[in-house]
């Protein structure tokens, strides 16, 4: 059966939520494969806004199976509050499955995330949700997983061992230590609420792949990938499509349809290199019209022109087979648009992303300029209805990346998502 991976091609916040929600209507199964509540997207459903951080986008429709896969790190408190939030608004009927191998975020991870951020010079600008320390524990083999909650002796012993070490680290960092009994009791409470959702999602997903349509929902963007992003200013997991088999427990052969979500310009939150960043009246206008403030933290996003060095890098490492260009309407009314087609580094033109972030900081973007369009395009329902200059802009992206624009978006509502070619 057909399936699709939805991947952010920039530094996150490209509008994946909207496309995932759109495609989720056609999918039977929605799988979130990495990250935690560092992510966040707003979905407009029946005229109401829903901010989701952990739950897969299919939860708003009762007939979907929603999987939180093994590649995720899950804060149970945040998860329960998200579930409660939906229930309060009448959304009670959803099918949720949580991988027994997904890692659990504990308060000491959050404490350490903020302690590390406030120490030393290389501030990453994390979301302070404990994501990095939880993935660190996973790699260090000292993490606890959702399935551990189903065996209380095992859970208790592992938590005790982990907390002893963490309390020493917290002391070293002049932070308050955490009492074991309080923490254990708290997590026992969470266990009661979520235990029925926990299962082996790899087994389930392999069965579902036989005859169901599956949508794999990435969080963040490829430039925040721990391997292929602007390291060390990245998150601690890999949003690439290549990580889907590992992070969900399926064979790589299932991954051949990858929709790259790209904003018509670029944004970034947190620190780190951003070659096409600019600040002037036009950037302010884009931030205001595009409502470019973080869904999870409310931080204003940094604004830049579209960067095709980034997009071609993402295409290579993530195998993008189609594009969805988001927030095209936000560029209406701008006289001249710029697209970065290469970088100038130490006097040489390069079109490959340097691996050292300091080198990327020294790169100057090489731009082509294109005339913008003045028309309001928010009512447009097809590619043909776009003003000529907007068509030219999309065509240029296709030409310079060799990837077809399969969808584009001209506003926040579901009906403002235009499909040029069927994706799922
Ligand atoms: P962390 O994921 O909280 O460790 O943060 C690491 C970096 O990734 C920081 O620059 C964050 O701002 C960024 N980041 C994490 N999640 C998102 C997201 O969903 N959208 C945009 N940036 C993100």
């Amino acid at each position: 059966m057909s399936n699709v991976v939805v991947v952010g091609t920039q530094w996150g916040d490209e509008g994946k939520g909207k496309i995932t929600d759109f495609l989720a209507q056609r999918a039977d199964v929605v799988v979130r494969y990495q990250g935690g509540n560092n992510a966040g997207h707003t979905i407009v459903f029946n005229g109401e806004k829903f901010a989701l951080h952990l739950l897969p986008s299919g939860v708003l429709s009762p007939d979907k199976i929603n999987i939180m896969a093994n590649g995720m790190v899950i804060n149970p408190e945040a998860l329960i509050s998200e579930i409660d939030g939906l229930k309060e608004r009448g959304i009670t009927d959803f099918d949720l499955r949580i991988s027994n191998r997904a890692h659990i975020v504990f308060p000491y991870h959050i404490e350490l995330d903020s302690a590390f951020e406030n120490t030393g010079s290389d501030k990453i600008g994390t979301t302070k949700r404990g994501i990095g320390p939880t993935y660190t524990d996973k790699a260090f083999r000292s993490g606890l997983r959702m399935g551990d909650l189903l065996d209380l002796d095992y859970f208790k012993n592992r938590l005790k061992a982990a907390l002893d070490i963490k309390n020493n680290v917290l002391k070293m960092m002049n932070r308050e230590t955490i009492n074991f009994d309080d923490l254990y009791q708290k997590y026992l409470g969470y266990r009661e609420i979520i235990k029925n959702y926990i299962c082996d999602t790899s087994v389930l997903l392999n069965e579902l792949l036989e005859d169901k349509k599956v949508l794999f929902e990435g969080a963040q963007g490829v430039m925040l990938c721990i391997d292929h992003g602007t390291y060390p200013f990245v998150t601690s997991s890999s949003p690439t499509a290549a990580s889907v088999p590992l992070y969900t427990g399926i064979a790589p052969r299932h991954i051949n349809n990858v929709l790259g979500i790209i904003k018509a310009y670029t944004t970034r939150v947190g620190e780190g290199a951003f070659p096409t960043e600019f600040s002037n009246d036009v950037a302010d206008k884009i931030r205001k019209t595009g409502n470019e403030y973080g869904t999870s933290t409310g931080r204003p996003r940094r604004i830049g022109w579209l960067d095709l060095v980034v997009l071609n890098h993402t295409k290579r490492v993530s195998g993008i087979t189609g594009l969805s260009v988001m927030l095209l309407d936000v560029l209406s009314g701008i006289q001249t648009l710029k697209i970065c087609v290469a970088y100038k580094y130490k006097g040489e033109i390069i079109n490959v992303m340097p691996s050292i972030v300091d080198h990327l900081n020294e790169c100057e973007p090489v731009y082509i300029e294109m005339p913008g369009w003045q028309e309001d395009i928010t009512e447009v329902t097809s590619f043909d209805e776009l003003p000529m200059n907007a068509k030219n802009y999309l065509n240029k992206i296709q030409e310079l990346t060799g990837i077809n624009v399969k969808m584009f978006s001209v506003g926040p509502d579901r009906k403002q998502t235009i499909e040029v070619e069927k994706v799922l």
Side-chain angles (χ1 to χ4, degrees):
M1 259 312 226
S2 58
N3 59 63
V4 63
V5 183
V6 171
V7 169
T9 61
Q10 296 154 322
W11 281 278
D13 309 316
E14 297 91 351
K16 289 179 297 296
K18 188 179 180 225
I19 293 302
T20 312
D21 169 56
F22 182 89
L23 295 174
Q25 296 171 78
R26 290 189 203 144
D28 305 302
V29 184
V30 184
V31 185
R32 171 85 191 270
Y33 59 89
Q34 43 76 231
N37 61 332
N38 48 347
H41 55 241
T42 309
I43 292 176
V44 180
F45 186 70
N46 286 343
E48 274 195 71
K49 275 190 178 177
F50 293 88
L52 298 180
H53 299 275
L54 283 163
L55 291 169
S57 301
V59 285
L60 302 181
S61 314
D63 54 337
K64 318 281 173 209
I65 300 176
N66 295 279
I67 295 180
M68 298 173 75
N70 55 283
M72 287 191 74
V73 290
I74 302 172
N75 176 334
E77 186 181 11
L79 175 64
I80 291 165
S81 114
E82 218 166 290
I83 292 174
D84 287 348
L86 290 187
K87 286 185 175 163
E88 273 161 29
R89 294 167 75 180
I91 305 201
T92 49
D93 191 12
F94 50 80
D95 187 341
L96 177 67
R97 320 291 176 97
I98 302 172
S99 167
N100 50 7
R101 290 176 171 82
H103 277 251
I104 307 177
V105 179
F106 287 95
Y108 50 77
H109 292 127
I110 297 167
E111 204 51 35
L112 289 172
D113 199 358
S114 106
F116 288 131
E117 274 292 278
N118 294 330
T119 319
S121 54
D122 261 356
K123 192 168 150 42
I124 304 294
T126 75
T127 58
K128 298 189 179 164
R129 304 283 150 93
I131 307 300
T134 309
Y135 278 113
T136 303
D137 276 359
K138 173 178 177 174
F140 202 64
R141 293 148 298 191
S142 54
L144 279 89
R145 310 195 290 183
M146 279 292 174
D148 301 353
L149 284 167
L150 304 182
D151 179 334
L152 278 185
D153 287 339
Y154 184 78
F155 178 76
K156 194 172 186 178
N157 291 338
R158 295 245 341 143
L159 184 59
K160 183 104 195 49
L163 187 65
D164 283 348
I165 298 171
K166 290 299 183 269
N167 272 340
N168 282 328
V169 182
L170 287 170
K171 264 188 231 153
M172 257 163 45
M173 304 205 72
N174 295 322
R175 296 272 166 155
E176 274 190 33
T177 56
I178 294 170
N179 176 277
F180 174 76
D181 289 329
D182 293 349
L183 185 64
Y184 180 64
Q185 287 308 323
K186 202 176 195 184
Y187 275 69
L188 280 191
Y190 298 152
R191 172 187 183 270
E192 282 315 300
I193 303 170
I194 58 181
K195 67 177 184 215
N196 291 338
Y197 299 125
I198 302 170
C199 65
D200 189 326
T201 52
S202 162
V203 171
L204 172 70
L205 189 54
N206 275 277
E207 281 164 17
L208 292 169
L209 276 168
E210 280 174 21
D211 62 349
K212 300 275 188 268
K213 281 190 187 174
V214 182
L215 171 65
F216 295 93
E217 172 180 7
Q220 291 88 40
V222 171
M223 297 313 291
L224 290 170
C225 170
I226 183 82
D227 272 72
H228 298 290
T230 44
Y231 191 88
F233 298 95
V234 292
T235 191
S236 299
S237 64
S238 170
T240 65
S243 67
V244 172
L246 175 70
Y247 283 163
T248 62
I250 61 166
R253 70 185 152 80
H254 293 294
I255 307 306
N256 48 26
N257 184 15
V258 183
L259 185 68
I261 313 301
I262 151 190
K263 220 173 237 187
Y265 44 97
T266 314
T267 59
R268 178 163 198 177
V269 282
E271 312 298 320
F274 184 2
T276 64
E277 181 174 20
F278 67 101
S279 16
N280 58 19
D281 293 356
V282 176
D284 292 345
K285 173 180 150 41
I286 290 177
R287 185 176 299 105
K288 192 157 173 259
T289 322
N291 189 26
E292 294 296 357
Y293 297 89
T295 318
S296 286
T297 58
R299 292 180 287 178
R301 296 178 185 145
R302 299 156 66 195
I303 308 289
W305 294 114
L306 185 61
D307 186 337
L308 294 190
V309 182
V310 164
L311 195 54
N312 281 317
H313 175 80
T314 311
K315 172 190 164 185
R316 180 166 31 79
V317 301
S318 197
I320 311 286
T321 55
L323 289 174
S324 181
V325 181
M326 311 303 289
L327 293 122
L328 191 62
D329 55 301
V330 173
L331 295 184
S332 294
I334 299 174
Q335 213 58 38
T336 306
L337 301 170
K338 293 185 184 187
I339 300 181
C340 168
V341 291
Y343 298 147
K344 198 168 180 189
Y345 176 64
K346 294 196 190 297
E348 270 186 44
I349 301 295
I350 58 168
N351 48 28
V352 170
M353 183 67 52
S355 73
I356 296 181
V357 77
D358 284 359
H359 298 183
L360 186 58
N361 269 322
E362 286 173 47
C363 286
E364 276 171 49
V366 177
Y367 287 117
I368 55 166
E369 291 191 352
M370 299 193 69
W373 57 93
Q374 305 313 307
E375 298 86 338
D376 175 358
I377 58 169
T378 53
E379 306 278 312
V380 159
T381 57
S382 71
F383 181 84
D384 289 342
E385 286 173 33
L386 283 173
M388 188 50 77
N389 287 348
K391 282 184 189 159
N392 290 343
Y393 190 72
L394 294 184
N395 284 336
K396 189 51 93 183
I397 296 172
Q398 282 193 165
E399 177 195 323
L400 295 177
T401 59
I403 322 173
N404 284 355
V405 172
K406 296 194 173 174
M407 298 172 85
F408 65 93
S409 165
V410 293
D413 208 88
R414 260 190 194 173
K415 60 178 186 295
Q416 290 167 302
T417 307
I418 291 120
E419 217 174 358
V420 184
E421 215 181 294
K422 208 164 164 42
V423 173
L424 184 70

